[in-house]
Amino acid sequence: MTDPNAASRPVQAVVLAGGQGSRLRPYTDDRPKPMVEIPGTGTPIIGHQLSWLAEEGVTDVVVSCGHLAEVLQDWLKSSDLPVRVTTVVETEPLGRGGGLKYAAAHLPHPDKPWYATNGDIWTRFSLRDMADFHAERDAVATLALARPRIPWGAVQTDGFGHITDFIESPPSTFEINAGVYVFSPAFAGLLPERGDHERTTFPHLARERRLAGFPIPQGAYWRAIDTAKDLTEAAKELAALGR
């Protein structure tokens, strides 16, 4: 049976892999953050992301490189990749929005929608469902939303101030930008040449009700790898999940 939504889903993506990764040192002393491997997985973060994108129907990926770009480029050249990969390197700092615009200019289908993901995200959920959500709302941009676990134990109290329970690392009550996106073709033209799109383009689209938020399904795995502790926690979590 033919899927009526298949034609409108992205087959191209941008991976933003240019961050310094200073909080992940010493792991990032000799490699960019997306090249860091979560212990026990045998795969760097970028390798996981490319496999996930391929499974979700993506055929072409633009990787935006920065810190130690040559290390990432050498790995991409020597690896058996499931997608076609183009790398771009900013000749001068453009900011997050400018860098995204520069990378998007190298996508093979500028008149088609595209995915984007930050290079330090380890996750698994249906991008196809997210793309359908984006199309149904006629959004220009859709952000995946996550509820990360609070890194401290929480305390529950009753109306009289008595403590009733202790909860270890509960999910946040707030949703956050999970660093995974679906963009319509028009989005690239709204990005700044330099600067941060999260302070300019996103708020503008939100005021016009053209920015959508897709909650990552309950039970789907998501973690941003920012620190050495995140690596340790991710290794435990993925081992428990059998991945």
Side-chain angles (χ1 to χ4, degrees):
M1 186 174 177
T2 303
D3 186 341
N5 296 319
S8 64
R9 294 176 187 144
V11 296
Q12 55 185 356
V14 168
V15 175
L16 298 171
Q20 291 280 337
S22 56
R23 290 192 294 165
L24 260 176
R25 288 178 177 153
Y27 298 99
T28 51
D29 284 345
D30 61 354
R31 71 195 66 189
K33 194 197 291 193
M35 282 297 298
V36 172
E37 178 185 321
I38 293 175
T41 65
T43 307
I45 299 170
I46 185 78
H48 165 82
Q49 290 183 328
L50 295 176
S51 295
W52 175 48
L53 290 167
E55 289 169 10
E56 294 295 324
V58 172
T59 58
D60 293 89
V61 176
V62 176
V63 178
S64 178
C65 308
H67 174 63
L68 296 175
E70 65 282 356
V71 176
L72 178 51
Q73 289 173 320
D74 287 347
W75 183 84
L76 290 168
K77 288 176 186 174
S78 64
S79 299
D80 183 15
L81 303 176
V83 292
R84 289 184 291 271
V85 173
T86 303
T87 60
V88 297
V89 182
E90 296 172 29
T91 55
E92 57 182 317
L94 300 174
R96 290 193 296 177
L100 188 58
K101 187 182 187 81
Y102 180 67
H106 294 79
L107 288 167
H109 310 292
D111 58 336
K112 302 287 187 182
W114 45 293
Y115 297 117
T117 181
N118 295 344
D120 58 358
I121 302 298
W122 191 286
T123 188
R124 267 290 197 280
F125 64 91
S126 174
L127 286 175
R128 291 180 173 91
D129 287 350
M130 185 176 172
D132 294 347
F133 179 96
H134 170 83
E136 287 163 5
R137 282 148 188 81
D138 196 25
V140 173
T142 296
L143 287 60
L145 304 177
R147 289 186 185 271
R149 290 194 170 274
I150 298 169
W152 309 283
V155 176
Q156 277 190 336
T157 59
D158 63 18
F160 296 97
H162 298 122
I163 292 176
T164 59
D165 201 3
F166 295 90
I167 305 170
E168 188 62 33
S169 299
S172 168
T173 56
F174 293 99
E175 293 176 311
I176 67 163
N177 179 353
V180 180
Y181 312 90
V182 183
F183 296 133
S184 294
F187 180 75
L190 302 175
L191 287 165
E193 297 292 337
R194 283 182 174 76
D196 188 348
H197 61 293
E198 295 194 10
R199 296 185 179 183
T200 54
T201 310
F202 280 173
H204 172 74
L205 290 174
R207 287 192 295 271
E208 295 187 345
R209 298 294 186 270
R210 296 193 294 163
L211 185 68
F214 175 79
I216 292 176
Q218 189 171 4
Y221 187 76
W222 178 90
R223 181 178 278 276
I225 309 298
D226 290 320
T227 66
K229 184 178 179 182
D230 288 326
L231 276 178
T232 304
E233 293 298 318
K236 290 179 185 175
E237 292 163 354
L238 291 170
L241 292 169
R243 297 179 184 178

